[in-house]
PDB file of all heavy atoms in Angstrom:
ATOM      1  N   MET A 130      14.974 -12.923  -3.587  1.00 89.00           N
ATOM      2  CA  MET A 130      14.332 -12.327  -2.422  1.00 89.00           C
ATOM      3  C   MET A 130      12.889 -11.980  -2.777  1.00 89.00           C
ATOM      4  O   MET A 130      12.637 -11.358  -3.794  1.00 89.00           O
ATOM      5  CB  MET A 130      15.076 -11.059  -1.987  1.00 89.00           C
ATOM      6  CG  MET A 130      16.503 -11.318  -1.533  1.00 89.00           C
ATOM      7  SD  MET A 130      16.634 -12.530  -0.207  1.00 89.00           S
ATOM      8  CE  MET A 130      15.973 -11.631   1.146  1.00 89.00           C
ATOM      9  N   GLN A 131      11.964 -12.429  -1.926  1.00 93.00           N
ATOM     10  CA  GLN A 131      10.553 -12.150  -2.126  1.00 93.00           C
ATOM     11  C   GLN A 131       9.970 -11.575  -0.844  1.00 93.00           C
ATOM     12  O   GLN A 131      10.309 -12.019   0.257  1.00 93.00           O
ATOM     13  CB  GLN A 131       9.797 -13.418  -2.496  1.00 93.00           C
ATOM     14  CG  GLN A 131      10.200 -13.988  -3.835  1.00 93.00           C
ATOM     15  CD  GLN A 131       9.291 -15.122  -4.243  1.00 93.00           C
ATOM     16  OE1 GLN A 131       8.978 -15.983  -3.445  1.00 93.00           O
ATOM     17  NE2 GLN A 131       8.873 -15.103  -5.490  1.00 93.00           N
ATOM     18  N   ALA A 132       9.094 -10.590  -1.000  1.00 95.00           N
ATOM     19  CA  ALA A 132       8.469  -9.971   0.165  1.00 95.00           C
ATOM     20  C   ALA A 132       7.466 -10.928   0.793  1.00 95.00           C
ATOM     21  O   ALA A 132       6.655 -11.531   0.102  1.00 95.00           O
ATOM     22  CB  ALA A 132       7.780  -8.675  -0.228  1.00 95.00           C
ATOM     23  N   CYS A 133       7.548 -11.075   2.107  1.00 97.00           N
ATOM     24  CA  CYS A 133       6.563 -11.854   2.878  1.00 97.00           C
ATOM     25  C   CYS A 133       5.497 -10.926   3.446  1.00 97.00           C
ATOM     26  O   CYS A 133       4.322 -11.261   3.479  1.00 97.00           O
ATOM     27  CB  CYS A 133       7.234 -12.574   4.041  1.00 97.00           C
ATOM     28  SG  CYS A 133       8.343 -13.869   3.558  1.00 97.00           S
ATOM     29  N   ALA A 134       5.938  -9.765   3.941  1.00 97.00           N
ATOM     30  CA  ALA A 134       5.009  -8.828   4.568  1.00 97.00           C
ATOM     31  C   ALA A 134       5.553  -7.411   4.423  1.00 97.00           C
ATOM     32  O   ALA A 134       6.766  -7.198   4.435  1.00 97.00           O
ATOM     33  CB  ALA A 134       4.816  -9.166   6.038  1.00 97.00           C
ATOM     34  N   ARG A 135       4.622  -6.470   4.290  1.00 97.00           N
ATOM     35  CA  ARG A 135       4.949  -5.046   4.216  1.00 97.00           C
ATOM     36  C   ARG A 135       4.160  -4.330   5.299  1.00 97.00           C
ATOM     37  O   ARG A 135       2.996  -4.658   5.528  1.00 97.00           O
ATOM     38  CB  ARG A 135       4.558  -4.461   2.862  1.00 97.00           C
ATOM     39  CG  ARG A 135       5.268  -5.088   1.697  1.00 97.00           C
ATOM     40  CD  ARG A 135       4.657  -4.601   0.373  1.00 97.00           C
ATOM     41  NE  ARG A 135       5.137  -5.407  -0.719  1.00 97.00           N
ATOM     42  CZ  ARG A 135       6.219  -5.140  -1.441  1.00 97.00           C
ATOM     43  NH1 ARG A 135       6.917  -4.048  -1.163  1.00 97.00           N
ATOM     44  NH2 ARG A 135       6.597  -5.936  -2.408  1.00 97.00           N
ATOM     45  N   CYS A 136       4.801  -3.367   5.929  1.00 98.00           N
ATOM     46  CA  CYS A 136       4.138  -2.622   7.000  1.00 98.00           C
ATOM     47  C   CYS A 136       4.367  -1.127   6.807  1.00 98.00           C
ATOM     48  O   CYS A 136       5.498  -0.692   6.582  1.00 98.00           O
ATOM     49  CB  CYS A 136       4.698  -3.054   8.352  1.00 98.00           C
ATOM     50  SG  CYS A 136       3.934  -2.233   9.762  1.00 98.00           S
ATOM     51  N   THR A 137       3.292  -0.390   6.882  1.00 98.00           N
ATOM     52  CA  THR A 137       3.364   1.067   6.958  1.00 98.00           C
ATOM     53  C   THR A 137       2.858   1.448   8.339  1.00 98.00           C
ATOM     54  O   THR A 137       1.767   1.033   8.733  1.00 98.00           O
ATOM     55  CB  THR A 137       2.503   1.731   5.866  1.00 98.00           C
ATOM     56  OG1 THR A 137       3.048   1.384   4.594  1.00 98.00           O
ATOM     57  CG2 THR A 137       2.489   3.242   6.023  1.00 98.00           C
ATOM     58  N   SER A 138       3.666   2.197   9.068  1.00 98.00           N
ATOM     59  CA  SER A 138       3.311   2.610  10.424  1.00 98.00           C
ATOM     60  C   SER A 138       3.322   4.121  10.523  1.00 98.00           C
ATOM     61  O   SER A 138       4.208   4.784   9.966  1.00 98.00           O
ATOM     62  CB  SER A 138       4.310   2.054  11.446  1.00 98.00           C
ATOM     63  OG  SER A 138       4.310   0.647  11.431  1.00 98.00           O
TER      64      SER A 138
END
Side-chain angles (χ1 to χ4, degrees):
M130 297 304 289
Q131 294 188 315
C133 292
R135 299 171 192 269
C136 181
T137 296
S138 299

